[in-house]
Amino acid sequence: MLVAEAVGRALALLGIDTVFGVVGSGNFHVTNALIAGGARFVATRHECGAATMADAYARTSREVAAISLHQGCGLTNAMTGIAEAAKSRTPLLVLAADTAASAVRSNFRVDQDALARAVGAVPERIHSPQTAVADAARAFRVAAGQRRTVVLNLPLDVQAAECPEGATVVPPAPVLKPPRPSPEAVAELADALARARRPVFVAGRGARIARARVSLERLAQQSGALLATSAVAKGLFNGNTWYLDVSGGFAAPLAAELIRAADLVVGWGCALNMWTTRHGTLIGPGATVVQVDLDVDAIGAHRPVDLGVVSDVDQTARAVADELEARGAAAAGYRSDGLRERIAREGRWRDLPYEDWSDGSRIDPRTLSIALDDLLPAERVLAVDSGNFMGYPSMYLSVPDDDGFCFTQAFQSIGLGLFSAVGAALAQPRRLPVAALGDGGALMAIAELETVVRLGLPMVVVIYDDEAYGAEVHHFGPDGHPLDTVRFPPTDIASIGRGFGCEGVTVRSREDLKAVAEWVRGPRDRPLVIDAKVVSDRGAWWLEEAFRGH
Ligand SMILES: Cc1ncc(C[n+]2csc(CCOP(=O)(O)OP(=O)(O)O)c2C)c(N)n1
């Protein structure tokens, strides 16, 4: 058996069930070996599409995903998506063909290890026919066990060699148990909760990964804490009366007010970065701050903390809840009947009054988002691209749970939203996939509409079309700068959608949304592209905050 085949089969055996990619000569055999081993291959039209589809697939299926790339240019095309995955600690295996070490004049030659390292991914390679399967298994273990994005370089000469007898055996991976907190840490956190009058929990990606909802809700109940999440964990506490939704720039006014007034903020697997804390302003000056995280480097990385607990979120929440129970301590904390009513009344953006800017030829993005929230089935998975528009779908469209929201924004790249929607759709086939994009991000990624159609995904692609890079327009416009570089003539994106085989509608008013209702009624046998011509006289509420991060 050739090494390419042995490596592909080994990775399928280790658990890679879905591979995204663009196949060229360098990754043809390894991709086919993965397929022969039982994996599904999803051909994409651009390697960046493959990378972010796999990223979203891994995030929302909670499995390690893989991409398969041609050497050199295949990898460079995928780099933006790989950077996003690496920054998000997505367990992703990038199978990158590589030029042979001896092929020093190959057109395809670039320093692939350096490329991986430059964006925070882990470079690995198959070193020899003798070690190739063990090398691949090690790469898989780093991705799965350490939640890293790993670029596994596959030199062509090693791939083409015969795999020696006995070297095809896949070494077993150890079963890992999540680490528990120390008794001192448990006692200190229990003390802090017992002292707090207004505790708030902010749960992040780590809480999501640890599936800590139940234990966090129990502990919050005992200590009277309110619940919030970072944007990537949106939906984690859906249905809980005390859930304030997203903390940070997107937060509704009531959530911001209540978090700012907390006397204890506990970040659970949450970086407490500038986005989640509005550059620190959501954490009151006298508040005690605690951070619980598996990763020692994450603790205190963005702001000083009073207590750092290095351990698994779920294990910690359980241990502290047991401790409080043993002490017989239960506190009303932040929770009161009055507050319950306020949260029910004012907790969601969509329930707050606003002045509708729709003018008949353009629809207010809030009106559009609220109408879509009502029209589209609740069992949905929502992926949002970057841009001025992004707060509207993120905060006005509800999602069923945290797996129903896919937010590939760690690199803040525009153009990844459509890819995220495809990956999330494949991971959760029973949910309606919704891609919410700006016209800039949509047109950057448009080639993957062919993939959406080819895969038969019943996707809704809604484009908040302001015929501009709105984020830049609203940032620079008020200061009187010329805006010619960031404005565009109208594009008929509905027609482009139809060209790819989608249904396409242009929405300028509420009335036009009847076509969406009709599509929802069925048979939904083609994706729906909604080119929503939105009002864009003013920037979104969160945009100023976003630009403070540049
Ligand atoms: C790959 C990439 N290029 C450029 C930028 C800078 N940028 C941030 S938002 C934005 C405009 C996005 O326009 P659009 O998708 O239409 O959304 P809008 O801001 O109009 O709502 C640009 C160019 C970026 N974030 N990522």
Side-chain angles (χ1 to χ4, degrees), residues 329-350:
Y334 219 154
R335 301 183 175 192
S336 68
D337 290 342
L339 200 52
R340 182 193 283 116
E341 277 162 33
R342 266 194 88 193
I343 294 170
R345 220 175 32 239
E346 306 168 42
R348 300 191 307 167
W349 273 109
R350 61 160 292 165

Side-chain angles (χ1 to χ4, degrees), residues 386-389 412-414 438-442 444 464 466 468-472:
S386 202
N388 173 64
F389 78 96
Q412 241 183 296
S413 172
I414 66 167
D439 50 304
M444 196 176 267
Y464 291 71
D466 62 354
Y469 292 150
E472 315 303 347

